[in-house]
Amino acid sequence: MKNAGKKIIWILAIIAVIYAIISSIFLVFGKAIVISQIEKNLKVKTRIESVGVTFPPAISIRKLDIEGLFTADAITASPSILGFFAGKIVLNSLKIIRPEITITKDSDGKLNLPVLTQKGAQPPVLLTGLKIQEGKVTFIDKKLNPRGYKITVGNIAVRISKVSLPPTSLYTRFNVSADLLDSNNNPSGKAQASGWIDFGPKNMDGKLELIDVEATALAPYYQNIISTKKLLSAKLNFNADMKAKDNDLSILCHSEFSNVIYEKSSPQENKQDIVDIFPNVLDIFSNASGNISFDFTIKTKLDKPRIDLVSLKGSIGQAAVQNIVNQPPEEVSKKVKQVAEEFKELGKSLKDIFNKKEE
């Protein structure tokens, strides 16, 4: 019994010595190695306050600053020893505290995101857990406005975790929330998403919500979709049910614009693009108070999600027709006469419905 106790003490002592050696190496060389690798691959000036090793085994980085792109108060990564022996970089958990990302689009539409220059085959990096606290993302669009049109998302919280059993499963739960911030960094709307995704069979069940978002913050990107009149104020509420089976992803979307206030000046000039008929089409969705509500569906692939604007245009057109059918006759007559010609592009079936409503 005494011998067993001595062996345990010796084992613990050896582990402590190994930990002390590794910790010392990281204190002396870790900072330089991490900075060197980041600057080599991203070609961006990088500063770090310290790099160390904690117990249980984890690598800790304090005060990371990748110039003009990313900062974080602390980053802690817990690597898997078994993954290392399997020739893979597996992180059991990655925790990032107060990260700030700044993305800039220049006048030519190019983003400031660096391109990795690392050459040769690299071991795969697998992440089984991610936690982000008090994150912030700032997007500056100098193509839209030479002075830089700014959109800021703050109070970002992310929790992503893969089930531990069975170890081969790719079933992952996610929970994300964030606030859209105004020019004074005050919340002007909330976004949240939750659910699960299984990358093995490519199945998913999740929900995305935008709650009481001040729509004018994003208006320059959809102004011509909503109306030819300049939007001064509006609240946006949006939810999307995301379900995937065998890689077929279907997103059922519901949008509501309330407290809509337009500028009283003359309508803006329409841009001739794929959504050039949307302003008139979406006028159909407005009620007597000027609020807009509509549903549409996006169908795509889970592994390669994309939005087909032509299909989206038709989907919203179909929703407009359904909305017309459910409106009072006096409203229908006035609105159909205003936009019936615009719907010729959406097909004979839609036009026939309008003709019936006009009779």
Side-chain angles (χ1 to χ4, degrees):
M1 191 71 178
K2 290 182 178 180
N3 289 335
K6 288 181 179 180
K7 288 181 179 179
I8 292 174
I9 292 173
W10 271 106
I11 291 172
L12 293 176
I14 291 171
I15 292 175
V17 170
I18 293 174
Y19 169 75
I21 293 173
I22 294 175
S23 182
S24 299
I25 291 173
F26 265 88
L27 285 174
V28 176
F29 301 108
K31 178 178 174 180
I33 292 173
V34 173
I35 290 176
S36 173
Q37 286 300 307
I38 294 175
E39 293 186 341
K40 178 182 177 182
N41 291 294
L42 301 184
K43 307 297 183 184
V44 180
K45 182 70 175 177
T46 301
R47 291 179 291 275
I48 293 176
E49 184 178 282
S50 65
V51 176
V53 177
T54 60
F55 191 84
I59 299 171
S60 178
I61 299 174
R62 290 183 57 81
K63 299 295 183 183
L64 170 63
D65 182 357
I66 302 176
E67 192 172 81
L69 182 64
F70 179 84
T71 65
D73 281 5
I75 299 176
T76 304
S78 299
S80 168
I81 303 300
L82 295 178
F84 176 78
F85 286 114
K88 300 177 181 178
I89 300 176
V90 179
L91 300 180
N92 291 328
S93 69
L94 177 63
K95 183 177 180 181
I96 308 175
I97 298 177
R98 282 184 286 278
E100 291 193 19
I101 301 173
T102 303
I103 301 174
T104 303
K105 179 191 285 187
D106 64 21
S107 57
D108 296 324
K110 184 179 179 181
L111 298 176
N112 66 326
L113 299 177
V115 179
L116 290 173
T117 59
Q118 201 170 46
K119 297 180 180 180
Q122 302 296 323
V125 178
L126 303 176
L127 180 62
T128 62
L130 172 65
K131 186 176 182 181
I132 297 176
Q133 297 178 348
E134 301 179 54
K136 185 176 182 181
V137 175
T138 301
F139 177 63
I140 302 172
D141 192 340
K142 294 185 178 180
K143 183 177 182 180
L144 183 66
N145 186 326
R147 292 178 296 178
Y149 187 82
K150 183 187 292 187
I151 297 174
T152 305
V153 178
N155 302 322
I156 298 172
V158 177
R159 186 182 291 273
I160 299 174
S161 59
K162 188 183 84 68
V163 295
S164 55
L165 294 174
T168 55
S169 173
L170 295 177
Y171 184 97
T172 303
R173 297 184 183 91
F174 62 90
N175 195 303
V176 181
S177 64
D179 292 334
L180 180 66
L181 305 180
D182 61 19
S183 57
N184 296 317
N185 283 329
N186 295 317
S188 61
K190 189 175 185 64
Q192 56 189 35
S194 60
W196 60 265
I197 184 169
D198 193 336
F199 292 103
K202 296 181 181 178
N203 298 333
M204 178 185 184
D205 190 350
K207 186 169 185 177
L208 168 66
E209 293 181 281
L210 300 178
I211 304 169
D212 290 335
V213 172
E214 177 49 55
T216 52
L218 306 174
Y221 297 98
Y222 60 74
Q223 172 68 64
N224 292 313
I225 297 178
I226 299 302
S227 177
T228 55
K229 295 172 289 186
K230 184 177 181 181
L231 188 66
L232 296 180
S233 179
K235 288 294 184 182
L236 167 64
N237 282 276
F238 171 86
N239 63 71
D241 288 321
M242 303 172 288
K243 297 184 185 298
K245 179 68 175 176
D246 299 329
N247 201 35
D248 291 326
L249 175 61
S250 181
I251 308 174
L252 279 64
C253 306
H254 175 74
S255 298
E256 293 182 2
F257 289 87
S258 59
N259 302 323
V260 180
I261 300 175
Y262 293 113
E263 189 175 62
K264 293 183 179 180
S265 59
S266 59
Q268 296 176 341
E269 181 182 353
N270 265 343
K271 291 183 179 180
Q272 298 300 316
D273 55 23
I274 192 66
V275 293
D276 57 354
I277 73 165
F278 275 19
N280 284 334
V281 170
L282 292 187
D283 281 343
I284 296 174
F285 293 99
S286 62
N287 58 23
S289 301
N291 298 331
I292 298 171
S293 176
F294 59 97
D295 302 308
F296 59 96
T297 300
I298 298 172
K299 292 187 179 295
T300 183
K301 297 295 182 181
L302 182 62
D303 58 352
K304 294 181 180 179
R306 62 185 296 269
I307 297 177
D308 185 332
L309 288 179
V310 174
S311 298
L312 179 60
K313 181 178 179 180
S315 180
I316 293 181
Q318 292 279 3
V321 171
Q322 186 61 45
N323 188 73
I324 276 288
V325 172
N326 296 327
Q327 287 189 26
E330 61 275 12
E331 289 294 324
V332 171
S333 177
K334 181 171 61 176
K335 291 183 178 181
V336 168
K337 287 179 180 178
Q338 179 184 354
V339 300
E341 289 299 317
E342 302 286 356
F343 274 90
K344 289 181 179 178
E345 294 184 30
L346 298 178
K348 185 177 182 301
S349 61
L350 301 184
K351 184 181 178 183
D352 289 344
I353 294 177
F354 279 117
N355 290 336
K356 289 179 182 179
K357 295 298 293 184
E358 286 184 306
E359 292 175 357

